[in-house]
Amino acid sequence: MATYKPVVVQAFPKLGEKITQDTLYWRGYKTPVQIKEFGAVNKIHFSPVPPYNYAVTASSRIHIYGRYSQEPIKTFSRFKDAAYCATYRDDGNLLVAGSEEGSIRLFDVSGRAPLRQFDGPTKAVHVVGFLSDKYRIFSGGDDYSSSLWDIPNGTEIISYNEHTDYVRCGCASKVNADVFITGSYDHTVKLFDARTKGSVMTIEHGHPVESVLLFQSGGLLVSAGGRYVKVWDILKGGQLLVSLKNHHKTVTCLCLNSSGQRLLSGSLDRHVKIYSTTSYKVVHSFNYATSILSLALSPEDETIVVGMTNGVLNVKHRKPEKRKEESQKKRQPAYRTYVKGRTYMPKQEDFCVSKPVKHILRKYDKLLKSFQSSKALDAVLEPPIRLHTPEVTVAVMQELHRRGTLRSALAGRDEKQINLLLTFVARHVVEPRFTSVLVTVADMITDIYQPVVGQSAIVDRQFLKLQEAIGKEIDYQEELLEVLGMMDTLFATFTKKSAAYPEENRSNGLTETIETNTNN
């Protein structure tokens, strides 16, 4: 009796993921550390000076974390209600934050009690920050106002009431100490100059603005709102350069890396997209567990911190490169040891001792070997095989058809099993690699279970889905044939023209020769 030959599963080429330098770089971050906060994290900001601690604003507290610490090294909790937008000054010594009760508090990083408290806004202050001269603070809140505050005197310098809805984001220019920008839910972004009594530029974003960001040069502005991230040229009067729509839900936060060559955006769709600032194409993407509210990248690009709606802080650190080199050097001798002698060719005088190779059969092969066709088909319709390796399921169906037992394996099934079969066939029948086999399977299922059509709503629904899938595929094929006919006509026309050109050249040559001879 001949030995059983396992089912041959045809290998199909797979399109591998394109590995770029960006992919390798952004994958170089360690497994994230999860830190639980008291509420949704609305702001994360890194200190601009070493050791690059970062402030996390959540609920009614501001926590200061060390770069590698999982517990806060300092806490500011002098808020009656929610705190917002804790931001460091450029020297890393002062921290300013807004609050739900409408006051703005200024803290010394080395102390605990507020150095200053600015009162004036009638509603919650959601955005605060320092101007680049370090002695003034800008703010914006739910009373639609944008204000400037003087730190030494603790007084309000000027207030702008140009927005018509909540002001929820803002940033200051690092190039000009008098310029700051605010974004509002009235769909506008306004640029203010402290030397004037009104805004000097208004940009229409088109959606409620959740975040704004200025490039280091101060010439380009990025705004985020709705599903859009838009880049504007301020030097050209607020001209739109590019509009990006790569998220599926509202974009909530923006961030630049230290060189300004990569732009990061976080969204409620649980993704962080990374764009190249030269082509504005997505070069990498991170996926998180829940919706993202805040995002920050450390000044040396060594740490990515993401704050989410469920109060979880996700911290990723870059892997040190030296350890990679050491681990690779250690693995090299082990690899050489395993392959040693693999290419050795026995000589004529050598005596070869053959070791019998034991083939381990899979479950469906064992069942096929014992001629249990129906059970073999059941084995390859289990979720791990059916969903992840459908080529194995199709290969077994093809083997059963070759043996002539496919019809008997498909027959005698209950409603649940018929539903499973039809779902699989309807999903994969349009794939070119499976079509030839699954069309035969679909024909057999239709022939066998045609008498029971109308008795089960579930089975009837699956038959309709199969009919719809095949109908759509036929329509696509007809359209492709029409396009192919058009292309054949064009190619035939080009061929005729190219064949006509040499003949014209030859006739022109003869004419010129005859005329020359006549003249002579």
Side-chain angles (χ1 to χ4, degrees):
M1 184 177 175
T3 57
Y4 172 78
K5 292 182 180 179
V7 174
V8 178
V9 179
Q10 188 176 354
F12 296 96
K14 291 183 179 179
L15 293 175
E17 184 183 357
K18 188 177 180 181
I19 303 297
T20 62
Q21 290 298 320
D22 277 289
T23 305
L24 296 173
Y25 176 83
W26 294 104
R27 280 184 179 175
Y29 285 86
K30 295 180 183 177
T31 305
V33 176
Q34 306 277 355
I35 302 172
K36 187 72 175 80
E37 284 290 338
F38 291 96
V41 181
N42 63 73
K43 178 72 174 180
I44 303 165
H45 193 249
F46 273 91
S47 172
V49 296
Y52 304 121
N53 297 334
Y54 57 93
V56 177
T57 313
S59 186
S60 60
R61 303 184 183 191
I62 301 170
H63 286 154
I64 307 296
Y65 288 91
R67 216 155 138 193
Y68 298 101
S69 65
Q70 296 185 28
E71 294 292 333
I73 58 178
K74 184 179 275 297
T75 300
F76 299 102
S77 56
R78 302 292 180 93
F79 296 92
K80 296 178 182 177
D81 209 329
Y84 299 113
C85 198
T87 307
Y88 277 101
R89 196 166 72 172
D90 287 344
D91 57 8
N93 292 327
L94 296 182
L95 190 75
V96 66
S99 64
E100 184 67 32
E101 60 259 29
S103 62
I104 302 164
R105 290 180 173 86
L106 183 70
F107 297 94
D108 186 345
V109 174
S110 58
R112 287 192 178 275
L115 293 177
R116 293 275 191 279
Q117 179 168 325
F118 304 92
D119 296 315
T122 56
K123 292 185 180 179
V125 178
H126 279 266
V127 54
V128 289
F130 292 94
L131 295 186
S132 56
D133 63 4
K134 303 179 184 178
Y135 298 110
R136 287 177 291 177
I137 294 170
F138 71 91
S139 68
D142 288 355
D143 59 358
Y144 310 165
S145 67
S146 306
S147 304
L148 272 180
W149 308 84
D150 183 68
I151 295 176
N153 297 327
T155 57
E156 184 181 66
I157 300 172
I158 191 170
S159 180
Y160 303 96
N161 295 293
E162 297 193 16
H163 285 294
T164 58
D165 207 334
Y166 300 151
V167 180
R168 287 298 171 90
C169 56
C171 62
S173 171
K174 296 188 181 298
V175 179
N176 191 325
D178 294 307
V179 173
F180 69 97
I181 294 169
T182 58
S184 168
Y185 279 6
D186 63 5
H187 300 191
T188 63
V189 176
K190 290 186 180 289
L191 187 146
F192 295 96
D193 190 321
R195 296 164 292 188
T196 62
K197 294 183 179 180
S199 62
V200 295
M201 187 182 296
T202 299
I203 295 171
E204 184 68 35
H205 179 81
H207 295 82
V209 183
E210 298 284 352
S211 182
V212 290
L213 181 68
L214 267 175
F215 275 67
Q216 294 173 353
S217 63
L220 296 180
L221 168 71
V222 187
S223 62
R227 295 168 55 192
Y228 294 88
V229 175
K230 297 184 179 182
V231 183
W232 312 85
D233 191 337
I234 295 178
L235 302 180
K236 290 186 178 180
Q239 179 183 344
L240 178 64
L241 295 181
V242 64
S243 179
L244 308 171
K245 190 182 178 184
N246 297 98
H247 288 282
H248 302 296
K249 292 185 180 179
T250 301
V251 183
T252 55
C253 47
L254 297 169
C255 176
L256 276 172
N257 73 338
S258 58
S259 65
Q261 295 180 353
R262 295 293 179 267
L263 172 67
L264 287 75
S265 65
S267 168
L268 296 180
D269 64 3
R270 305 182 295 108
H271 286 86
V272 170
K273 304 283 184 183
I274 302 165
Y275 309 88
S276 167
T277 53
T278 52
S279 63
Y280 291 105
K281 292 182 178 178
V282 177
V283 295
H284 195 68
S285 179
F286 289 115
N287 188 16
Y288 289 86
T290 54
S291 300
I292 297 166
L293 284 182
S294 51
L295 165 71
L297 193 60
S298 65
E300 292 182 339
D301 300 335
E302 293 296 316
T303 308
I304 299 175
V305 185
V306 170
M308 291 175 272
T309 53
N310 60 354
V312 172
L313 203 63
N314 187 293
V315 186
K316 290 183 179 180
H317 300 285
R318 275 196 67 76
K319 299 174 184 175
E321 296 181 1
K322 291 182 181 179
R323 294 180 184 176
K324 286 185 181 179
E325 295 173 2
E326 290 173 3
S327 61
Q328 286 175 359
K329 288 178 182 177
K330 289 178 182 177
R331 282 197 293 267
Q332 285 174 359
Y335 176 74
R336 287 199 298 269
T337 304
Y338 282 116
V339 299
K340 187 177 180 181
R342 184 172 291 180
T343 57
Y344 177 77
M345 298 297 292
K347 297 177 183 177
Q348 190 174 1
E349 61 271 14
D350 289 343
F351 178 76
C352 298
V353 178
S354 60
K355 185 179 179 181
V357 180
K358 186 178 180 181
H359 295 285
I360 300 174
L361 296 178
R362 297 184 179 274
K363 183 179 178 180
Y364 57 84
D365 275 321
K366 292 178 181 177
L367 294 167
L368 286 172
K369 186 178 179 181
S370 58
F371 303 102
Q372 300 182 53
S373 305
S374 185
K375 290 185 178 180
L377 185 57
D378 290 338
V380 293
L381 285 173
E382 292 177 359
I385 298 176
R386 185 183 78 245
L387 298 176
H388 302 294
T389 54
E391 59 272 13
V392 175
T393 307
V394 175
V396 171
M397 289 178 174
Q398 190 173 10
E399 175 64 18
L400 291 172
H401 182 56
R402 188 188 67 81
R403 294 184 177 192
T405 57
L406 180 58
R407 180 177 288 272
S408 61
L410 293 170
R413 295 181 174 269
D414 58 17
E415 181 186 55
K416 186 178 179 181
Q417 293 173 327
I418 298 170
N419 180 37
L420 195 64
L421 269 170
L422 287 171
T423 304
F424 179 82
V425 173
R427 181 179 295 176
H428 297 287
V429 72
V430 296
E431 293 187 37
R433 52 180 182 163
F434 302 144
T435 300
S436 58
V437 179
L438 292 183
V439 165
T440 305
V441 174
D443 286 340
M444 288 188 180
I445 293 174
T446 307
D447 290 341
I448 295 169
Y449 296 103
Q450 188 176 4
V452 299
V453 171
Q455 297 180 12
S456 169
I458 297 173
V459 174
D460 292 348
R461 196 181 306 120
Q462 291 303 327
F463 270 118
L464 290 173
K465 285 184 179 179
L466 177 60
Q467 182 184 7
E468 184 182 356
I470 294 174
K472 283 184 179 179
E473 183 64 19
I474 291 171
D475 292 339
Y476 292 149
Q477 294 291 341
E478 288 176 354
E479 290 177 9
L480 288 173
L481 286 172
E482 289 177 5
V483 174
L484 190 60
M486 296 175 191
M487 294 175 67
D488 286 341
T489 306
L490 290 173
F491 291 149
T493 306
F494 292 149
T495 306
K496 287 178 181 178
K497 285 184 178 180
S498 60
Y501 287 139
E503 291 179 3
E504 289 179 6
N505 293 336
R506 286 186 200 131
S507 62
N508 291 338
L510 283 171
T511 305
E512 289 172 3
T513 307
I514 292 167
E515 287 177 356
T516 306
N517 292 335
T518 306
N519 292 333
N520 290 335

